[in-house]
Amino acid sequence: MKRVVITGAGLITPVGAGREEFWRSLVAGQSGIAPVRSFDTSDYPVHIGAEVKAFDPAHWVRNRDPESMGRGSQLAIAAARMALDDAGLSLSAFAPRRVGISMGTTSGEPGFVEKYNDIRKAEGLDALPADLGAKYPCNVIPSNVAIELGLQGPCLMIPTACAAGNYAIGYGFDLIRTGRADLMLAGGADPFSRITYTGFARLGAIAPEKCQPFDRNRKGMVPGEGAAVLVLEPLEAALARGARIYAEVLGYGVSCDSHHMTAAHPQGDGAIRAMDMALRESGRSPDEVDYISAHGTGTPTNDRVETIAVKTLFGRRAPQVPMSSIKSMLGHTMGAASAIEAVACALALHTGVIPPTINFTEPDPDADLDYVPNTARQTNPRLVLNNAYAFGGNNASLCLARFEEAA
Amino acid sequence: MEAITTDEIRGEIKRLIAEVTERTPEEIEDTASFQDDLGVDSLMAMEVMVAVDKKYKINIPEDEFSQIRNVNDTVEVVQRHLEAAGTAVRA
Amino acid sequence: MTAPRIVATGVGVISTIGAGREQFEDNLYAGCAGIGPSQMFGEEAITAEVRDFVPQTWLGTKGIRVLDRAARLLCVAAEMALSATGLKQPENAEGDPQFGLVCGTMFGSVHSITSFDWSGQTDGVKYVNPMEFPNTVINSPAGQAAIKFKLRGVNSTISAGLASGLYAIHYAAEFLRFGRASALLAGGVEELCEESFVGFRKAGVLSASGRSRPFQAGHDGMVLGEGSALLVVETEERARARGVTPLFEIAGFGSAHDAHAINAFHVRGQGAAAAMRQALEAAGLTPADIGCVIAGASGSPAADQMEWHALKEVFGPRLGELPVSAPKAAFGEAMGASGALLALCGATALRRQHAPPTAGFIGADAPLRLSAQAQPFSAHAVLVNCFGCDGNNASLVLKSV
């Protein structure tokens, strides 16, 4: 089995585009949450969101008309191009059939559902354009990236909602590990959508002013959008070309609560099993983990249950393991979230700095771990877990390590 | 708007609770606890609230709705909001 | 150390040509087609839908209300597959944390998400039913099935267009090879709905004559179908240890993307040929080992032509003797469910040593050995194809055990 490393990262997020801007914002504790601009929220009880600002699709979608695809695909293409640039890779050096893409999402291209209904309401279904249907299938995002970049290997979407990014990175890892591909682009993408916003608003899950995970006064999550793509390649190839290695992927764990569509298992059953499986597969123990990137949405239940799960698995050591939620800054970017968070984990391993949970003012007696409040911290982590949980009871944890030659 | 009777409201509430809990309206007792006896979770409760709001053109605030425990409570809250909106409710 | 062999030990299926493995196989081999007037969109519309679908027949009366049609179809297939292989959990059991589900889909929750948004746009945001929100996520059928059947292991939804079902079976086999699961349900589901139907109709790819005629003279597009098929997959070792006879082996998978267009087939079929070659290589076989081909052809002229080109490239002159079957003549284009339905056809072909009939076949548009009758062969392996217009190509080799 080959060792797999992360050698490039591309992102479009509410706190900035590209690895450098993203990481600067995160370490500085900057929030990307602001009043929603992409649609009118006056009928909603809440008005904030985490949208991507100043995104020019035409700058990234170069081989086709950017308007021929949805925003999810545009964001993904931008992230994929940035990731390849960041890795210093040219695709011409690879056999096209040996390069693949694996992406995650919650809603794919919901913009076309909105368009369908807008046309249906205004003019009736007969007025639908002929090409609308082909732009929607759940896997259209990785297909659009493959077409734009000429990737001819495996091409898959794993739409496992808000844990999808970790699933997609896991699949990419598997393909490199087993030698089925020489290079994988893996990540997640989700565009801002009135549908998602409506749903979370109706569940009463959106915070009115800010996202404050693990704080006693946390009032909910904040829907967001974005995309992240990681470059995964075999270690020997990365070493041979003298690549900058951000981190090594050691393994991942997935599980299902099989409990409730929207509510987490109260004792964190699936969350515990996902972390445990990720560590076992990586050949590591909970004692070695020195940073956890929390799912940490900022809803009262999620943060309580995730804390219970970490305490159960890590036992008495739990308070010593720093665990932060960058959703405090980015909001919840849905299917992109765990991919963006995986980049944050890789950069934490690479730079030695762990990003903070901002907006943290008052500790919660039910959530009493070290959430890295408000300020980034230099801790030089060596082994990290990236947690992600989703509707449908899906859980996925990814285990990354600082690259050390003799691992 | 025409006057509504409390029996009509009661019948509607029972119909909705029966629907979300997959029972018949006859099985829903006036004082049975939504949560403990009928297994109504928070999502189901919200579904009922939205349906009630929609049916009677009222807007019951979530914190008020979350206090409701059974059919009797619900009828009372709906009646109060209807009357506040100027709709007569007869016994 | 040799990689463990991955086998299927149970099947659940619901389709326009029947529910349950026996009915599906009998109708397939009788040459029956499930194509006809729609119960959903009016008699003018011709579809391959699951008619008179009453999920309560299999699932009882409780817990059905919250499921959308896709989740109902998937749960019916899961119920049948689990019952068939003795893996159904008792009512109050906790459930095996290593037993999961991998489900392919193409349009996912498109109907539920559209209805949810429609309610917001017409009734107003305030009156949207929050209970409908969970069904808007693409993985909701898989999540609902996990709750219903206590599937606590991996729960992945897999989307690769028309190739989704084959990708899902491959994904499950990989999980078993890595020892990440004890057993998995793997396959696909798709519900027919207004949104996908209107989308395809507007794109002009549906058969104007209302007939599904893959590889045949006069083929003029596809007929949309739906359904769900799930396999129970596990390692051969585990199956034997629990006293279950494997039905067939999942021997090799291949995938390639044409990177060409999202709505046009790549005529030369290089991606399709690459997928077939990879699948053969992964199974340790050559084209000469294949007894029959279960084609993905759906009656769309460009797709049929592409598959023919690709078959010619892989099988060369032998193609003239190789039995080919195009089962979408019987159950239409079932999108995310197609791959799993076709895999089931392949498995049946292996067992019966006959390629299934291509329903209503009268004469080929391409020089391929298709027939309205079952065609005998003698071999231990078959090849199953799924090629999509978005460039996603996948092939799967099944072997007898």
Side-chain angles (χ1 to χ4, degrees):
Chain A
M1 223 73 96
K2 295 180 187 204
R3 288 173 67 182
V4 182
V5 291
I6 300 168
T7 56
L11 314 95
I12 291 274
T13 80
V15 299
R19 173 181 58 82
E20 289 179 17
E21 194 186 3
F22 165 76
W23 190 240
R24 242 191 342 263
S25 302
L26 233 53
V27 171
Q30 278 173 15
S31 168
I33 293 167
V36 172
R37 294 193 298 197
S38 56
F39 57 88
D40 177 12
T41 59
S42 52
D43 284 345
Y44 292 77
V46 282
H47 309 283
I48 57 168
E51 291 161 298
V52 167
K53 294 112 199 154
F55 173 61
D56 175 17
H59 181 71
W60 303 102
V61 184
R62 296 168 197 164
N63 297 327
R64 287 160 69 211
D65 175 7
E67 297 308 312
S68 69
M69 64 188 74
R71 184 170 171 88
S73 296
Q74 294 169 347
L75 293 168
I77 286 172
R81 283 200 182 278
M82 284 186 229
L84 287 169
D85 287 349
D86 187 49
L89 278 174
S90 162
L91 287 173
S92 59
F94 292 85
R97 297 252 182 260
R98 302 284 299 166
V99 183
I101 178 158
S102 156
M103 293 292 285
T105 195
T106 295
S107 305
E109 295 290 12
F112 293 121
V113 167
E114 297 176 2
K115 190 168 178 187
Y116 181 97
N117 279 334
D118 290 344
I119 293 172
R120 179 185 182 188
K121 195 175 168 188
E123 305 165 71
L125 285 181
D126 285 343
L128 283 182
D131 60 355
L132 196 63
K135 294 174 178 174
Y136 182 77
C138 307
N139 64 312
V140 77
I141 292 175
S143 282
N144 276 323
V145 179
I147 293 165
E148 173 73 17
L149 299 177
L151 316 176
Q152 295 182 15
C155 178
L156 188 62
M157 173 60 94
I158 308 186
T160 40
C162 301
N166 269 356
Y167 278 81
I169 295 166
Y171 183 70
F173 164 67
D174 286 345
L175 291 183
I176 297 285
R177 193 151 65 130
T178 53
R180 284 170 185 266
D182 295 334
L183 186 71
M184 284 297 294
L185 301 180
D190 249 299
F192 208 76
S193 153
R194 74 184 182 208
I195 303 170
T196 313
Y197 202 82
T198 302
F200 283 110
R202 288 306 306 146
L203 292 178
I206 301 180
E209 287 166 15
K210 57 187 170 182
C211 182
Q212 41 187 160
F214 304 107
D215 189 279
R216 182 176 197 156
N217 302 308
R218 64 187 181 273
K219 294 190 174 61
M221 48 82 78
V222 176
E225 67 174 343
V229 170
L230 292 80
V231 172
L232 304 178
E233 60 182 310
L235 172 63
E236 68 256 37
L239 290 176
R241 68 182 185 88
R244 173 182 50 207
I245 296 172
Y246 293 127
E248 179 171 3
V249 186
L250 296 186
Y252 68 109
V254 292
S255 71
C256 184
D257 284 351
S258 73
H259 166 70
H260 193 275
M261 277 301 285
T262 58
H265 185 279
Q267 274 81 49
D269 163 64
I272 296 166
R273 287 189 289 115
M275 286 188 279
D276 185 50
M277 181 175 163
L279 286 168
R280 279 172 200 276
E281 180 166 295
S282 305
R284 300 300 181 97
S285 89
D287 289 344
E288 296 173 78
V289 174
D290 35 32
Y291 170 62
I292 299 170
S293 171
H295 185 58
T297 54
T299 65
T301 311
N302 176 84
D303 298 358
R304 190 181 64 241
V305 170
E306 190 168 5
T307 298
I308 292 171
V310 167
K311 282 179 166 178
T312 308
L313 186 67
F314 290 78
R316 292 171 60 179
R317 198 176 156 259
Q320 275 109 57
V321 185
M323 170 162 88
S324 66
S325 168
I326 63 169
K327 289 190 178 82
S328 55
M329 298 170 266
L330 288 148
H332 191 343
T333 55
M334 303 288 130
S338 52
I340 294 174
E341 286 149 11
V343 173
C345 286
L347 295 177
L349 290 162
H350 185 61
T351 63
V353 176
I354 54 177
T357 304
I358 68 163
N359 300 323
F360 191 93
T361 49
E362 192 181 341
D364 179 349
D366 280 344
D368 49 358
L369 299 177
D370 173 8
Y371 302 110
V372 197
N374 305 316
T375 315
R377 204 185 287 167
Q378 178 93 36
T379 65
N380 301 319
R382 297 175 63 177
L383 190 73
V384 308
L385 275 179
N386 184 32
N387 286 343
Y389 310 127
F391 274 14
N394 276 355
N395 310 288
S397 291
L398 182 70
C399 184
L400 305 180
R402 185 162 78 198
F403 171 63
E404 279 156 22
E405 197 120 5
Chain B
M1 194 187 274
E2 248 181 80
I4 297 171
T5 70
T6 48
D7 278 354
E8 279 167 20
I9 299 171
R10 190 175 301 278
E12 179 65 14
I13 307 289
K14 286 191 176 182
R15 191 187 65 75
L16 287 166
I17 295 290
E19 194 184 318
V20 300
T21 61
E22 299 183 309
R23 290 178 167 85
T24 62
E26 295 71 39
E27 290 174 76
I28 312 293
E29 291 178 23
D30 290 333
T31 55
S33 159
F34 286 166
Q35 198 183 328
D36 301 333
D37 300 329
L38 300 173
V40 175
D41 68 15
S42 59
L43 212 54
M44 295 175 181
M46 267 191 267
E47 179 176 17
V48 172
M49 181 176 83
V50 168
V52 167
D53 281 356
K54 202 165 161 178
K55 167 91 184 171
Y56 296 110
K57 306 276 182 289
I58 54 178
N59 195 358
I60 306 172
E62 260 163 57
D63 47 352
E64 200 171 327
F65 199 86
S66 63
Q67 304 300 316
I68 292 171
R69 290 153 305 162
N70 56 34
V71 171
N72 279 347
D73 292 358
T74 320
V75 173
E76 192 207 306
V77 169
V78 171
Q79 181 171 353
R80 183 150 34 83
H81 278 270
L82 277 170
E83 285 170 350
T87 307
V89 180
R90 286 186 283 113
Chain C
M1 197 187 83
T2 54
R5 289 216 286 182
I6 309 302
V7 298
T9 55
V11 170
V13 58
I14 176 135
S15 79
T16 186
I17 59 164
R21 187 177 134 199
E22 276 185 27
Q23 199 184 33
F24 177 85
E25 289 183 9
D26 289 349
N27 284 335
L28 179 70
Y29 276 80
C32 297
I35 286 156
S38 172
Q39 293 176 339
M40 293 182 191
F41 314 125
E43 292 202 349
E44 304 277 286
I46 302 300
T47 67
E49 68 201 43
V50 177
R51 295 187 176 77
D52 304 315
F53 177 47
V54 184
Q56 286 83 353
T57 311
W58 297 274
L59 303 175
T61 53
K62 289 273 177 189
I64 296 197
R65 192 184 70 96
V66 295
L67 308 180
D68 62 18
R69 187 173 172 92
R72 291 173 184 193
L73 290 165
L74 182 68
C75 285
V76 168
E79 165 71 33
M80 290 190 278
L82 292 170
S83 300
T85 190
L87 287 173
K88 200 174 166 202
Q89 304 286 320
E91 194 62 36
N92 43 21
E94 245 198 342
D96 173 2
Q98 299 280 306
F99 189 28
L101 168 65
V102 183
C103 178
T105 186
M106 179 170 175
F107 280 91
S109 55
V110 67
H111 182 64
S112 288
I113 192 171
T114 307
S115 307
F116 183 80
D117 183 53
W118 182 247
S119 166
Q121 297 307 304
T122 52
D123 298 336
V125 170
K126 219 170 68 173
Y127 294 123
V128 170
N129 180 359
M131 196 78 177
E132 286 170 11
F133 183 49
N135 282 344
T136 66
V137 294
I138 299 166
N139 60 321
S140 76
Q144 299 280 18
I147 295 168
K148 202 163 184 56
F149 298 104
K150 303 180 169 67
L151 307 171
R152 298 170 68 212
V154 60
N155 191 270
S156 284
T157 295
I158 297 293
S159 193
L162 297 178
S164 300
L166 292 190
Y167 257 100
I169 293 169
H170 140 75
Y171 183 98
E174 287 293 287
F175 258 67
L176 289 160
R177 282 190 193 101
F178 282 120
R180 292 196 190 114
S182 59
L184 294 168
L185 288 170
V189 69
E190 199 79 43
E191 61 175 13
L192 191 57
C193 62
E194 180 190 85
E195 293 77 15
S196 51
F197 184 74
V198 169
F200 277 102
R201 198 189 58 204
K202 277 278 171 186
V205 295
L206 297 186
S207 164
S209 61
R211 294 170 65 195
S212 180
R213 288 175 289 187
F215 293 129
Q216 293 173 53
H219 53 173
D220 61 350
M222 55 183 153
V223 174
L224 276 192
E226 62 172 354
S228 179
L230 288 174
L231 308 173
V232 174
V233 290
E234 52 195 315
T235 62
E236 182 181 22
E237 192 186 351
R238 181 182 189 265
R240 300 225 185 261
R242 64 182 193 94
V244 176
T245 310
L247 302 172
F248 57 93
E249 182 190 352
I250 293 153
F253 174 77
S255 62
H257 200 277
D258 287 320
H260 168 62
I262 54 162
N263 56 357
F265 287 93
H266 196 274
V267 178
R268 288 192 294 167
Q270 289 156 319
M276 285 190 267
R277 286 196 175 114
Q278 280 177 29
L280 286 164
E281 192 191 341
L285 300 177
T286 68
D289 297 314
I290 294 297
C292 86
V293 172
I294 306 295
S298 62
S300 148
D304 294 3
Q305 198 194 7
M306 181 187 84
E307 190 166 5
W308 172 57
H309 276 287
L311 285 168
K312 218 168 40 175
E313 195 181 318
V314 173
F315 289 94
R318 198 189 153 232
L319 188 58
E321 305 148 29
L322 182 69
V324 175
S325 170
K328 286 179 188 168
F331 52 74
E333 179 49 82
M335 301 174 269
S338 282
L341 289 169
L342 293 173
L344 180 52
C345 296
T348 313
L350 261 186
R351 197 183 75 242
R352 297 194 181 200
Q353 291 287 295
H354 278 79
T358 298
F361 181 80
I362 37 164
D365 182 47
L368 287 168
R369 226 184 95 180
L370 291 131
S371 170
Q373 313 298 323
Q375 304 180 73
F377 65 85
S378 179
H380 295 295
V382 299
L383 179 71
V384 182
N385 286 339
C386 281
F387 306 137
C389 69
D390 60 350
N392 255 303
N393 303 292
S395 295
L396 190 69
V397 170
L398 308 178
K399 274 205 263 195
S400 37
V401 213

